[in-house]
Amino acid sequence: MIRNLTPLALLLICVLLLGCTSQSIEIYVSPEGNDTAEGSQSAPIKSLQGAADLAGEDAGQVPVTIFLSGGTYMLTEGLMLGRDNSGTAEAPVRWEAMPGESPVISGGIPVNNWKEEADGSWSTTLPNASNGTFRSLYINGKRAIRARYPDEGYLRVGKAGDDLRTNFYFNENDIPEIENAQGLELILLHDWSVTRIPVKSIDRKARHLTTVDSIGAYLNFFKLTNWDKHPRYYLENVAEFCDQPGEWYADSENKQIYYRPNPGERIGECTAIIPLAEKLIIIEGTEEHPVEHISFTGITFEHNAWQLPEHGYCGIQACMFTDRAAKTKGWSKLPAAIELDMANHCSFNQCTIRNTGTSGIWIRRNCLECEIYQSHIHDIAGNGVCIGEGNDRLVDGESWWKAKPEEVSKGNRVSHSLIERCGLQFHGAVGVWCGLVDNTVIQYNEIRDLPYTGVSVGWLWTAEPTPCRENIVHANHIHHIMTILSDGGGIYSLGLQPGSRITNNLIHDVKVNAGRAQSNGMFLDEGTKELLIENNIVYNIARSPLRFHKAKHPTMVRNNVLVCKDGNPPIAYNSTKEDDIQKVDNTILSESSESDMKQLQELVKGQLDP
């Protein structure tokens, strides 16, 4: 039939077909919009959830673009995107900033009506909506300092109490007089994690501090004196500590908040925000119907809250913790401002995630080929980026990866992004944490200014086979990490990961080794096996550039440049047979050699060049 049509008729058919395939929907949103409007550019709607619902009428049928104009979109609860908001490869759903504009999605609420106190501090009444759940205050877009003592550095435990868990004796003159200890919080540092826990009482005469529950995770080695007889700690959140510019204090009982301004800040001219929403974006599908092909481009996400558990946060590692109130020995995980579950082909491009009370973004359960690209993730309370899961989720009483290994998150990527200043409240945090994951790629990122590890991959402390395999950590620039804790490194590996590769990374400035265990350029921990470590440059490290602990054969270390301080071996072996680690064509340089340092400069320049 088609061959009998005239050329003009064929042309008309092609035009009609092209028009059908190019059909798309555009929805416009503005903080000044109206949810009864049609969603056009001249009549935008106001709410993000309204835009999502409006897009749902066509989602998956034709391409949908939701344009956000500049300004701030305030959320009191997270934006939920599920099956009805899902797209397809041919008909994706895109959330995009209007060209030249900078929309911000915020889970915070403003704090106004400040008055000046006699001592120069400012005070105001908390909004009723706050419910006393916030742990952060933001002034002019920056995180203010929660009132702490000492203002810099740490105190040292004088002597642990008899049970080595719930109390300790402090040194004379260490803790100033406190009129009302309600709200006082202890932050105690373990080698690689931190406990945040409310203080129950302080007996100044006996110099004795008691907490509401046990300090440290339930694991036995978290007792107070395991790593250090006099561990480091500091205290937060009482009125007496709010004595330096930039500090703030919340009196939840009387619904007051106090702030001591920085020089140049004027009352009435500052924008103050406290977080309210627990999450900003939740993308969640089902096993039968995953959410697919949703993207965010050019959008900033900020301000979310997380309430400390009643019995405290007892960190285990990488923002996993023991929740004493749960009365179980299971592990809990610090949530994220943005969370994805059962999501495929979703992405965050040229986005900013900042000023969170939790981790930044978590691509969690059974996610396929999701991506974070050219984004800036910074000023984060916990981990910057999380991908996958640990071994804690159970299916019919068995770890998920044994019962349903097909639920592994696979093919996800983080690339060309800047990740910095994470772990601001929960110091055992990681820049990029990847649990039991498959074909995850972390590449071409800069990761810096972290209290603990840069990139962590794998999450089982044995060489037992899991779905974790073929992961790539490539060409990242990781530096100035391990600034507070120890027993980590620029890259941390755990468990069996067949086919995985750590290649072409530049790791430097791991200067602090604060705890008993080493801080290294790379720490290849228990069960590490079948891993290739190749073409990396590691220098200016407090201890050995590489360290293996209970690692297994075969593991290959090839063609790396390892720069050592005098007295530090290039590779440290803890409970690892040196012969189990294959070493081929590595270059060992000395920091004390002028010629070696000149050679290093050329090598670093070459590694940084595209």
Side-chain angles (χ1 to χ4, degrees):
M1 294 293 292
I2 291 179
R3 64 189 175 194
N4 294 325
L5 294 175
T6 65
L8 179 59
L10 284 171
L11 178 60
L12 288 172
I13 289 172
C14 290
V15 170
L16 288 170
L17 288 174
L18 180 61
C20 290
T21 57
S22 63
Q23 183 183 5
S24 63
I25 302 294
E26 292 181 351
I27 298 171
Y28 292 84
V29 194
S30 168
E32 309 304 321
N34 190 317
D35 281 339
T36 62
E38 62 183 11
S40 65
Q41 190 166 5
S42 59
I45 63 174
K46 183 174 185 177
S47 76
L48 301 178
Q49 196 68 58
D53 294 342
L54 186 59
E57 299 174 9
D58 299 289
Q61 306 301 313
V62 296
V64 176
T65 302
I66 301 170
F67 285 108
L68 273 61
S69 67
T72 300
Y73 299 82
M74 294 286 196
L75 299 179
T76 57
E77 56 184 23
L79 173 64
M80 296 285 300
L81 301 176
R83 177 185 177 185
D84 293 341
N85 314 106
S86 187
T88 65
E90 296 76 22
V93 178
R94 303 184 179 99
W95 295 73
E96 296 188 3
M98 285 283 288
E101 300 196 23
S102 303
V104 175
I105 297 176
S106 167
I109 54 176
V111 181
N112 299 311
N113 302 318
W114 294 91
K115 66 178 183 179
E116 188 168 357
E117 299 288 340
D119 64 356
S121 64
W122 301 346
S123 70
T124 190
T125 300
L126 287 169
N128 289 330
S130 70
N131 294 321
T133 60
F134 69 99
R135 303 176 55 76
S136 300
L137 170 69
Y138 302 95
I139 303 292
N140 293 337
K142 295 183 179 180
R143 188 188 302 261
I145 303 166
R146 197 174 187 224
R148 63 165 281 176
Y149 187 86
D151 293 311
E152 295 182 359
Y154 309 95
L155 302 170
R156 289 275 185 176
V157 167
K159 179 184 176 183
D162 291 341
D163 65 4
L164 302 179
R165 283 290 191 173
T166 64
N167 64 99
F168 63 82
Y169 297 89
F170 52 90
N171 296 313
E172 188 174 3
N173 299 323
D174 267 4
I175 299 177
E177 193 77 40
I178 296 171
E179 182 178 345
N180 182 1
Q182 184 171 357
L184 180 62
E185 193 168 293
L186 167 71
I187 300 89
L188 189 134
L189 307 182
H190 311 284
D191 253 28
W192 65 79
S193 69
V194 60
T195 289
R196 279 186 169 270
I197 191 166
V199 173
K200 182 178 180 180
S201 65
I202 295 180
D203 183 338
R204 290 195 56 80
K205 185 175 181 180
R207 301 204 304 270
H208 187 227
L209 183 149
T210 303
T211 55
V212 298
D213 209 319
S214 293
I215 300 167
Y218 66 85
L219 298 164
N220 185 56
F221 48 77
F222 277 95
K223 63 186 180 183
L224 280 172
T225 56
N226 184 66
W227 292 287
D228 191 331
K229 289 184 178 180
H230 308 284
R232 297 173 295 162
Y233 72 95
Y234 62 97
L235 300 164
E236 281 187 350
N237 201 45
V238 291
E240 289 82 359
F241 299 166
C242 191
D243 58 356
Q244 296 294 317
E247 288 191 318
W248 68 277
Y249 156 67
D251 181 352
S252 298
E253 183 179 12
N254 296 306
K255 295 190 70 68
Q256 292 287 304
I257 186 167
Y258 298 87
Y259 173 66
R260 191 165 291 277
N262 285 300
E265 292 179 337
R266 298 180 182 275
I267 200 165
E269 297 180 3
C270 288
T271 301
I273 298 289
I274 60 173
L276 177 63
E278 292 187 3
K279 299 184 191 302
L280 301 179
I281 306 290
I282 303 107
I283 301 176
E284 185 173 0
T286 65
E287 292 182 16
E288 297 78 16
H289 300 285
V291 178
E292 297 189 310
H293 295 282
I294 296 177
S295 65
F296 291 85
T297 302
I299 299 171
T300 292
F301 304 88
E302 65 179 358
H303 305 144
N304 74 310
W306 186 66
Q307 181 63 31
L308 199 73
E310 181 183 359
H311 292 243
Y313 168 97
C314 302
I316 300 173
Q317 191 172 342
C319 291
M320 288 191 176
F321 67 97
T322 299
D323 185 352
R324 301 284 184 186
K327 304 298 183 184
T328 68
K329 290 191 175 182
W331 293 12
S332 298
K333 181 82 172 179
L334 187 72
I338 300 171
E339 292 187 351
L340 293 76
D341 281 293
M342 290 163 284
N344 298 341
H345 309 287
C346 294
S347 63
F348 291 79
N349 309 307
Q350 300 171 34
C351 289
T352 296
I353 303 170
R354 68 187 183 197
N355 291 340
T356 70
T358 61
S359 294
I361 181 170
W362 190 358
I363 301 169
R364 194 161 58 175
R365 173 185 172 189
N366 201 2
C367 291
L368 175 67
E369 294 186 10
C370 295
E371 183 175 28
I372 300 167
Y373 177 71
Q374 283 189 350
S375 292
H376 187 193
I377 299 169
H378 65 106
D379 290 275
I380 305 296
N383 295 327
V385 177
C386 305
I387 303 176
E389 302 178 84
N391 59 3
D392 48 302
R393 181 169 64 88
L394 301 180
V395 176
D396 297 328
E398 191 172 34
S399 291
W400 69 269
W401 59 268
K402 293 181 180 179
K404 285 195 169 184
E406 67 275 12
E407 292 186 352
V408 64
S409 285
K410 183 176 182 178
N412 301 293
R413 305 167 68 90
V414 182
S415 69
H416 299 85
S417 295
L418 173 58
I419 300 167
E420 60 180 338
R421 297 193 302 278
C422 305
L424 295 184
Q425 292 188 2
F426 305 97
H427 304 319
V430 174
V432 181
W433 177 88
C434 305
L436 299 175
V437 291
D438 183 352
N439 272 277
T440 297
V441 178
I442 312 299
Q443 64 179 4
Y444 302 112
N445 304 288
E446 184 172 4
I447 301 170
R448 67 188 186 191
D449 295 337
L450 303 175
Y452 182 54
T453 286
V455 176
S456 178
V457 184
W459 205 247
L460 197 70
W461 281 258
T462 71
E464 182 177 359
T466 72
C468 190
R469 61 189 65 248
E470 297 183 14
N471 301 304
I472 296 172
V473 183
H474 175 74
N476 299 284
H477 184 192
I478 305 171
H479 60 100
H480 293 89
I481 48 90
M482 307 299 301
T483 59
I484 294 178
L485 301 177
S486 63
D487 209 15
I491 298 173
Y492 176 87
S493 169
L494 192 65
L496 174 64
Q497 299 179 56
S500 294
R501 306 190 298 278
I502 300 174
T503 56
N504 294 82
N505 298 282
L506 178 62
I507 302 172
H508 62 92
D509 284 277
V510 186
K511 294 182 178 180
V512 177
N513 195 90
R516 186 181 70 178
Q518 287 193 24
S519 296
N520 306 96
M522 295 186 202
F523 180 20
L524 299 315
D525 204 356
E526 296 186 47
T528 293
K529 183 178 179 181
E530 298 186 31
L531 180 66
L532 172 64
I533 302 168
E534 185 174 44
N535 294 331
N536 303 282
I537 299 176
V538 186
Y539 71 94
N540 204 9
I541 309 298
R543 302 294 290 275
S544 295
L546 304 187
R547 175 165 62 108
F548 291 90
H549 176 61
K550 294 185 178 179
K552 306 294 181 181
H553 175 81
T555 293
M556 171 64 76
V557 178
R558 183 171 61 203
N559 200 35
N560 301 280
V561 177
L562 308 177
V563 184
C564 305
K565 297 181 183 296
D566 290 344
N568 285 345
I571 303 176
Y573 303 92
N574 302 147
S575 302
T576 299
K577 295 179 180 178
E578 186 171 347
D579 291 343
D580 281 351
I581 309 302
Q582 298 173 272
K583 298 169 285 292
V584 178
D585 295 334
N586 297 290
T587 299
I588 311 302
L589 302 179
S590 171
E591 287 190 10
S592 61
S593 168
E594 185 175 344
S595 61
D596 281 2
M597 291 301 95
K598 288 182 179 178
Q599 182 181 352
L600 174 65
Q601 288 178 0
E602 293 301 315
L603 292 168
V604 167
K605 184 178 182 298
Q607 195 89 326
L608 287 173
D609 286 341

